[in-house]
Amino acid sequence: DASPAAVRGSAPGLGDPASIEAQRARLRATLARLSRTGELPTMPSVATSALAIARNPEAEVEELCRAIQTDVGIAARVLRVANSAVYGRRTVCKSLRDAVTTVGMRTMQDVLSAAALRSVLNLREPVAQRLWDHSLAVAIAAEELAAITGAVRRGGAFIPGLFHDVGRIVFFLGDAAGYDAMIRQEADLGIAASVGAVESERYGFDHNEAGAALASDWGLPPEFCDAVRWHHDPTRAPAGDRLARLIAAADAVTYRIGLGASDSPAETRAPQAAGLSIPDEERFTAQVAERFAAERAQFD
């Protein structure tokens, strides 16, 4: 088992490979101890299989459909998204093949990831709803930022944006009372960076480290894991620093439109601090809010 002292101050992505893996093993052990079941959260198996298929440029639509249809809940959400106004179909998708064809294999990765994350949260709890809303909003903002800034290729920002705060989700799932206390303390301190110190004091690591380790376990690419790990400090990302800056800016935008993960004051979070300039920030934030409202209901 990991003691807080054993893990405090270490950071996935730095040091020699053996040290990194040892630190991650200690971190995973601590997260598992927090869990009600003694096990780390896992992506639904259908999502893991379907994402692997969707990432394969040689994959066939039928192969992806066969994987998705093994999970009724995720399949239903995929159909709902494909039939939403976002994709503007004139006829209703009645099959998964229609849905995948409408959405596209690459975008289907985003849909599957969102459906999988949504499935692990009980949205009857207000804190879970807030975490889900924030995660989806950051994913949307990140994709929109990628399109207007060219900082990363379009299509490569949604998933890391969606999972950027998965460490917070794990803390909430494993220690709801402790998470609530940390959020109150962050709001009292009034600065975004303070939550890392609060989390490290309680667990020996913060939600960024926890999220990066979990993202790695779930098979996300190294640059995605780095973006999760360093989205509050992008200059330290050993890989994917442009992506980390993009996620930091997207995170800032969501606080401006009332979709932050906490009550930290919005003025402490500015997209410019991440090194990205948004030509018309007011219009952009309104665009993100509008797209969020349109897409959020599709995953309920």
Side-chain angles (χ1 to χ4, degrees), residues 145 227 230-231 234-235 240-250 271 273-276:
L145 274 172
W230 298 110
H231 70 275
T235 60
D241 59 316
R242 288 187 299 174
L243 183 55
R245 285 198 301 272
L246 189 94
I247 301 305
L276 287 179

Side-chain angles (χ1 to χ4, degrees), residues 78-84 87 89-103:
V78 166
L79 281 168
R80 192 177 302 131
V81 171
N83 283 317
S84 70
Y87 294 98
R89 271 185 65 102
R90 296 184 179 181
T91 58
V92 175
C93 292
K94 295 183 179 180
S95 69
L96 284 173
R97 172 176 255 289
D98 288 345
V100 174
T101 302
T102 296
V103 174

Side-chain angles (χ1 to χ4, degrees), residues 21-81:
E21 188 49 45
Q23 189 275 337
R24 282 178 170 161
R26 292 193 297 270
L27 187 149
R28 292 178 188 119
T30 301
L31 290 177
R33 231 180 21 252
L34 288 175
S35 164
R36 295 186 181 97
T37 64
E39 297 178 355
L40 283 173
T42 58
M43 286 271 269
S45 59
V46 61
T48 303
S49 300
L51 282 171
I53 294 168
R55 283 195 293 264
N56 178 5
E58 305 300 323
E60 299 288 339
V61 170
E62 291 299 337
E63 184 182 6
L64 180 58
C65 292
R66 284 195 297 273
I68 295 172
Q69 69 187 10
T70 61
D71 188 305
V72 175
I74 288 180
R77 287 195 176 103
V78 166
L79 281 168
R80 192 177 302 131
V81 171

Side-chain angles (χ1 to χ4, degrees), residues 197-210:
V198 174
E199 292 168 345
S200 293
E201 184 61 32
R202 187 175 186 89
Y203 302 119
F205 48 87
D206 63 21
H207 71 275
N208 307 305
E209 293 170 286

Side-chain angles (χ1 to χ4, degrees), residues 59-214:
E60 299 288 339
V61 170
E62 291 299 337
E63 184 182 6
L64 180 58
C65 292
R66 284 195 297 273
I68 295 172
Q69 69 187 10
T70 61
D71 188 305
V72 175
I74 288 180
R77 287 195 176 103
V78 166
L79 281 168
R80 192 177 302 131
V81 171
N83 283 317
S84 70
V86 173
Y87 294 98
R89 271 185 65 102
R90 296 184 179 181
T91 58
V92 175
C93 292
K94 295 183 179 180
S95 69
L96 284 173
R97 172 176 255 289
D98 288 345
V100 174
T101 302
T102 296
V103 174
M105 292 284 277
R106 199 223 56 76
T107 302
M108 186 56 68
Q109 295 179 47
D110 298 346
V111 173
L112 287 167
S113 297
L117 184 62
R118 167 65 182 80
S119 71
V120 305
L121 288 167
N122 175 7
L123 299 193
R124 289 190 296 271
E125 301 181 49
V127 175
Q129 181 72 68
R130 183 173 193 166
L131 288 169
W132 163 246
D133 286 350
H134 177 64
S135 297
L136 182 60
V138 171
I140 289 169
E143 272 291 273
E144 294 294 332
L145 274 172
I148 67 171
T149 67
V152 300
R153 66 176 177 82
R154 187 159 193 180
F158 187 94
I159 291 176
L162 184 73
F163 288 111
H164 81 289
D165 263 358
V166 72
R168 286 184 184 265
I169 291 172
V170 172
F171 287 156
F172 168 69
L173 292 175
D175 182 21
Y179 180 83
D180 187 55
M182 287 190 300
I183 290 299
R184 289 199 305 271
Q185 188 172 354
E186 179 186 6
D188 290 343
L189 290 171
I191 51 174
S194 66
V195 72
V198 174
E199 292 168 345
S200 293
E201 184 61 32
R202 187 175 186 89
Y203 302 119
F205 48 87
D206 63 21
H207 71 275
N208 307 305
E209 293 170 286
L214 207 53

